[in-house]
Amino acid sequence: MAPSAAQRIVIENCAIATVDANDTEYASGYLVVAGNRIESIGAGRAPQHLENVVRRIDGTGHLVTPGLVNTHHHFYQWITRGLATDHNLFNWLVALYPTWARIDAQMGRVAAQGSLAMMARGGVTTAMDHHYVYPQGAGDLSGAIIGAAAEMGVRFTLARGSMDRSKKDGGLPPDFAVETLEGALAGTEETVDRFHDASFDSMTQVAVAPCSPFSVSTELMKQGAELARRKGVRLHTHGSETVEEEQFCKELFGMGPTDYFESTGWLGSDVWMAHCVHMNDSDIAAFAGTGTGVAHCPSSNARLAAGIARVPDMLKAGVPVGLGVDGTASNESGELHTELRNALLINRLGAHRESALNARQALRLGTYGGAQVLGRSAEIGSLEAGKLADFVLWKLDTLAHASIADPVIALVFGAAAPVTASFVNGKQIVEDNRLLTVDEDAIARATRDEAQRLARIAAQA
């Protein structure tokens, strides 16, 4: 739709953090949306005599930012929250895989609804799910997850995961919960063909995503990379999350995780890794030199005692870094906006101390950084004319924030800010912290019921 004919929404009298290349900010500015694109943005009042204005929003007391971009998650874990709360990663996986192996498509859809709802009502406009548990006879799990995202109205990337290394092969999952090499590749290709949309304003994209070096075969890693590049989609996996993983790679492959990824075709500007906690200088240089991205998950890393990722060093080297919630069995809040604050605080416990990250760097991680990692920085992640209209109005004039003069510092350092409005593709999906596209209360009931059903099935196994 041409801008002259498009219906327009005008937001005025608000602080704006564009997160563009110059970190342009306006103490009081405007945003004009035409159809699903940002038409103009600037200081002061919006241009007068605009045609086809269907709505004007007074943003007094608000900060407008790009919508948050989540770069790593496991939606199915929404129905296994609060379990194995005092475990490290490997023990946590051993404790939970027998339960996760019992999920089906109905559970997957409901868990996805819960995960998406919690993120969307907290300012996430682009979500992703790394789903890698495909038990035999579970039904159309990928279709169920993508359907939930479409219903919610968020922009979405499904990282179609896979595992082919079960207990009999020295892995952790039960034998019936993994796929064969051929089945994993065929299922992944079918998901790409069925759902991936490469267009500028795409609402659904698919990535190729074998789970991790210790849960998949080397052949699946290699052929997965070949498949992704043949199809023109991105690649995602877990990497360098724990000390134990590094030891596993050295014992099994004779090299550390980064060298292993390089040997299997898993470094490149079309790749992003989750966690990357245990990276040495040469690892970071390899990521920077190849443009390999990182999904930083500070709360999950702390929950599983994995360590503190070297995010300041990655950013200095030029590594693309975004933020991730990670699965809600290791981050029960399920929210990304709290990760802005946690990323800043946890990284200040590391070697760089108070110089590690500042508020604007944290906001960039959660917006433009995430868009880079997902390969969508030309479309989303900053507020600029021509980009897609994915943005959030954060209310900062209440008791929780009103005495903090700098709105970006208020958003990052302060309590979780209420979302007055969230727009995706020019359509509003949240109003006054409530979802407009789905029934939150119905989702809450369904997630409780499916969590109980899964627990019963797992107990009987």
Side-chain angles (χ1 to χ4, degrees), residues 4 37 42 64 101-102 104 113-115 117 121 139 160 210-212 244 294 324 330 354 407 414 417 421 431 453:
S4 59
R37 306 289 179 94
V64 176
R102 306 293 171 175
D104 58 29
Q113 288 176 322
S115 295
R121 69 199 294 268
R160 202 292 186 182
C211 181
S212 66
E244 292 83 3
V294 171
S330 64
E354 68 275 9
E431 183 171 17
R453 182 166 74 90

Side-chain angles (χ1 to χ4, degrees), residues 18 33 38 47 55 68 71-72 91 164 210 215 247 269 272 281 284 365 370 381 414 422 444 456 458:
T18 68
V33 173
I38 297 171
R55 187 178 177 192
L68 300 182
T71 62
H72 186 65
N91 292 335
D164 68 342
S215 61
Q247 293 171 344
S269 59
W272 85 103
D281 290 347
I284 292 174
L365 290 176
S422 182
R456 288 195 301 269

Side-chain angles (χ1 to χ4, degrees), residues 189 192-193 196 208 226-233:
E189 184 166 7
V192 173
D193 291 343
H196 182 70
V208 174
E226 293 167 0
L227 168 62
R229 289 174 178 132
R230 175 164 54 85
K231 291 291 183 179
V233 300

Side-chain angles (χ1 to χ4, degrees), residues 243-261:
V243 172
E244 292 83 3
E245 178 190 335
E246 184 170 3
Q247 293 171 344
F248 176 91
C249 287
K250 288 181 177 178
E251 290 173 4
L252 195 62
F253 311 123
M255 63 187 86
T258 300
D259 290 337
Y260 177 68
F261 288 135

Side-chain angles (χ1 to χ4, degrees), residues 105-288:
Q106 171 64 14
M107 294 174 191
R109 180 180 180 85
V110 168
Q113 288 176 322
S115 295
L116 286 160
M118 200 67 196
M119 284 188 291
R121 69 199 294 268
V124 169
T125 55
T126 297
M128 70 80 65
D129 181 29
H130 184 192
H131 187 84
Y132 52 84
V133 183
Y134 288 87
Q136 298 167 18
D140 184 10
L141 281 158
S142 293
I145 295 162
I146 287 173
E151 181 183 36
M152 198 76 57
V154 299
R155 211 174 295 283
F156 182 58
T157 294
L158 175 66
R160 202 292 186 182
S162 53
M163 299 184 292
D164 68 342
R165 187 192 296 276
S166 66
K167 281 187 175 181
K168 66 178 174 57
D169 305 308
L172 298 176
D175 295 343
F176 69 87
V178 305
E179 300 173 282
T180 64
L181 170 65
E182 295 76 17
L185 292 169
T188 300
E189 184 166 7
E190 188 269 341
T191 302
V192 173
D193 291 343
R194 183 178 168 195
F195 293 111
H196 182 70
D197 176 4
S199 65
F200 184 89
D201 55 359
S202 168
M203 292 295 290
T204 305
Q205 297 197 343
V206 177
V208 174
C211 181
S212 66
F214 55 84
S215 61
V216 307
S217 66
T218 296
E219 198 58 32
L220 181 52
M221 293 293 290
K222 289 181 177 180
Q223 292 193 39
E226 293 167 0
L227 168 62
R229 289 174 178 132
R230 175 164 54 85
K231 291 291 183 179
V233 300
R234 297 182 74 75
L235 300 84
H236 180 59
T237 191
H238 296 89
S240 301
E241 186 173 359
T242 65
V243 172
E244 292 83 3
E245 178 190 335
E246 184 170 3
Q247 293 171 344
F248 176 91
C249 287
K250 288 181 177 178
E251 290 173 4
L252 195 62
F253 311 123
M255 63 187 86
T258 300
D259 290 337
Y260 177 68
F261 288 135
E262 183 177 24
S263 74
T264 55
W266 274 79
L267 293 183
S269 59
D270 55 355
V271 181
W272 85 103
M273 307 276 183
H275 303 293
C276 298
V277 175
H278 297 279
M279 301 266 283
N280 59 33
D281 290 347
S282 64
D283 295 331
I284 292 174
F287 273 52

Side-chain angles (χ1 to χ4, degrees), residues 249-451:
C249 287
K250 288 181 177 178
E251 290 173 4
L252 195 62
F253 311 123
M255 63 187 86
T258 300
D259 290 337
Y260 177 68
F261 288 135
E262 183 177 24
S263 74
T264 55
W266 274 79
L267 293 183
S269 59
D270 55 355
V271 181
W272 85 103
M273 307 276 183
H275 303 293
C276 298
V277 175
H278 297 279
M279 301 266 283
N280 59 33
D281 290 347
S282 64
D283 295 331
I284 292 174
F287 273 52
T290 57
T292 305
V294 171
H296 177 46
C297 306
S299 292
S300 177
N301 294 344
R303 161 77 149 78
L304 296 173
I308 301 173
R310 296 175 59 188
V311 172
D313 296 326
M314 294 179 195
L315 294 175
K316 184 178 180 180
V319 177
V321 182
L323 291 181
V325 171
D326 203 7
T328 49
S330 64
N331 181 3
E332 275 77 2
S333 75
E335 297 176 313
L336 191 67
H337 62 299
T338 55
E339 297 303 291
L340 302 176
R341 185 171 188 262
N342 290 345
L344 185 149
L345 296 181
I346 288 175
N347 279 279
R348 288 189 177 188
L349 295 174
H352 295 276
R353 301 181 64 186
E354 68 275 9
S355 300
L357 292 175
N358 61 39
R360 283 161 176 82
Q361 288 174 308
L363 178 59
R364 180 170 287 275
L365 290 176
T367 53
Y368 188 81
Q372 280 186 297
V373 162
L374 295 184
R376 305 204 65 177
S377 59
E379 304 108 278
I380 60 173
S382 60
L383 301 179
E384 301 178 70
K387 283 198 165 185
L388 295 169
D390 295 5
F391 60 95
V392 181
L393 280 76
W394 307 92
K395 187 171 178 60
L396 298 177
D397 60 357
T398 67
L399 174 64
H401 303 92
S403 60
I404 304 175
D406 184 321
V408 176
I409 288 177
L411 178 67
V412 175
F413 278 83
V419 173
T420 293
S422 182
F423 286 78
V424 180
N425 218 38
K427 298 178 181 178
Q428 189 171 355
I429 65 167
V430 176
E431 183 171 17
D432 294 332
N433 265 68
R434 294 289 294 183
L435 294 164
L436 298 176
T437 52
V438 295
D439 184 337
E440 289 184 32
D441 296 331
I443 291 174
R445 291 191 295 271
T447 57
R448 178 199 60 208
D449 293 345
E450 290 303 313

